[in-house]
């Protein structure tokens, strides 16, 4: 009996390789072209995330916020580490901070031009969080915490989430900014603003999580 299943599996595999998909032939690239025209941005992925699937994206941002709150809640009753090991050798510090500079520049580029090229707010936020993480592994945690509090990063994180939800809700009601000329920096209506807000949210949220885990779990 097992040979029947094996033959059926091989036949199905050959069918997928040899016989073309008629649905794909009918669709061609018309769906991608339609998304680009409707959203006004060349990056169809950004068009889907911040327009066609915006309702989902709102809750993705909310889930990320809840995850950060959960990390704080779960570790709130634990004792902070008294000794946190950092990278102290000069080559590691130079390489980490060089990588942080590159990641920060990439984050800014992805946030500003994510609707025109591959990238976007989530990718920009991850790049920004990577830059912060590289600085954190070579700097005293108390210094990182002071900067986090001095610049009110937690407040800016919450503000970015609230502005994102408000703009997204306005967009879902049918009100949109002018799309502008396709392919230019100021195009796509509200999509570039949503990209930047998500980048700020993810980067600052990553900063908060990094500080929490370094404080209670260390680096090693």
């Amino acid at each position: 009996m097992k040979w029947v299943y094996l033959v059926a599996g091989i036949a199905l595999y050959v069918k997928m390789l040899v016989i073309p998909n008629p649905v794909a032939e009918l669709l061609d690239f018309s769906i991608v072209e339609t998304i680009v025209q409707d959203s006004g941005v060349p990056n169809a992925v950004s068009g889907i995330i911040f327009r066609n699937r915006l309702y989902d994206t709102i809750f993705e941002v909310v889930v990320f916020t809840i995850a950060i709150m959960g990390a704080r809640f779960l570790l709130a009753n634990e004792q902070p580490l008294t000794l946190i090991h950092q990278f102290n050798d000069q080559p590691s510090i130079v390489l980490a901070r060089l990588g942080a500079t590159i990641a920060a520049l990439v984050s800014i580029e992805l946030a500003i031009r994510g609707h025109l090229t591959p990238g976007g707010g989530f990718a920009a936020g991850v790049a920004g969080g990577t830059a912060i993480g590289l600085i954190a592994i070579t700097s005293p945690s108390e210094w990182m915490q002071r900067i986090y509090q001095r610049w009110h990063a937690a407040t800016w994180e919450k503000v970015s989430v609230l502005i994102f939800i408000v703009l997204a809700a306005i967009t879902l009601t049918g009100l949109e900014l002018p799309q502008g000329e396709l392919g230019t920096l100021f195009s796509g209506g509200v999509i570039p603003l949503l990209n930047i807000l998500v980048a700020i949210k993810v980067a600052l949220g990553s900063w908060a999580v990094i500080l929490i885990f370094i404080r209670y779990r260390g680096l090693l």
Side-chain angles (χ1 to χ4, degrees):
M1 193 61 161
K2 61 182 180 181
W3 294 105
V4 176
Y5 292 114
L6 180 61
V7 171
I10 294 174
L12 179 62
Y13 180 74
V14 172
K15 181 265 179 189
M16 290 188 294
L17 288 178
V18 177
I19 302 176
N21 186 356
V23 176
E25 290 181 351
L26 290 174
L27 293 177
D28 198 12
F29 292 103
S30 59
I31 293 180
V32 176
E33 293 174 356
T34 302
I35 293 172
V36 170
Q37 291 173 1
D38 289 344
S39 61
V41 296
N43 186 348
V45 175
S46 292
I48 293 173
I49 292 175
F50 293 115
R51 195 174 187 278
N52 300 60
R53 203 172 61 85
L54 182 57
Y55 189 77
D56 268 354
T57 306
I58 294 175
F59 287 98
E60 288 175 6
V61 173
V62 173
V63 165
F64 187 78
T65 304
I66 295 174
I68 297 169
M69 296 171 59
R72 289 173 176 165
F73 176 77
L74 290 174
L75 297 175
N77 296 325
E78 297 195 15
Q79 292 296 326
L81 296 178
T82 56
L83 178 62
I84 298 175
H85 297 281
Q86 306 282 344
F87 286 92
N88 297 318
D89 56 300
Q90 198 61 30
S92 297
I93 293 175
V94 172
L95 289 175
R97 294 185 178 179
L98 175 61
T101 303
I102 296 172
L105 294 175
V106 170
S107 174
I108 295 172
E109 168 72 12
L110 293 176
I112 295 176
R113 294 175 54 84
H115 60 298
L116 304 178
T117 59
F122 290 101
V126 171
T130 301
I132 294 170
L134 289 172
I135 295 296
I137 65 176
T138 59
S139 305
S141 58
E142 296 82 3
W143 178 75
M144 293 289 294
Q145 187 70 37
R146 285 197 301 269
I147 294 179
Y148 183 83
Q149 295 174 347
R150 182 189 307 165
W151 291 98
H152 306 286
T155 302
W156 284 110
E157 178 196 345
K158 295 178 178 63
V159 169
S160 65
V161 173
L162 292 176
I163 296 176
F164 177 89
I165 294 175
V166 170
L167 289 178
I170 293 173
T171 303
L172 288 173
T173 61
L175 299 176
E176 298 185 20
L177 295 175
Q179 289 189 355
E181 184 180 352
L182 179 66
T184 60
L185 186 61
F186 297 99
S187 62
V190 76
I191 291 179
L193 295 177
L194 297 179
N195 257 333
I196 294 173
L197 289 171
V198 170
I200 294 172
K201 161 61 189 169
V202 174
L204 295 182
S206 301
W207 191 355
V209 171
I210 289 169
L211 290 179
I212 291 171
F213 277 99
I214 288 178
R215 183 180 182 187
Y216 292 101
R217 292 291 185 265
L219 292 175
L220 301 176

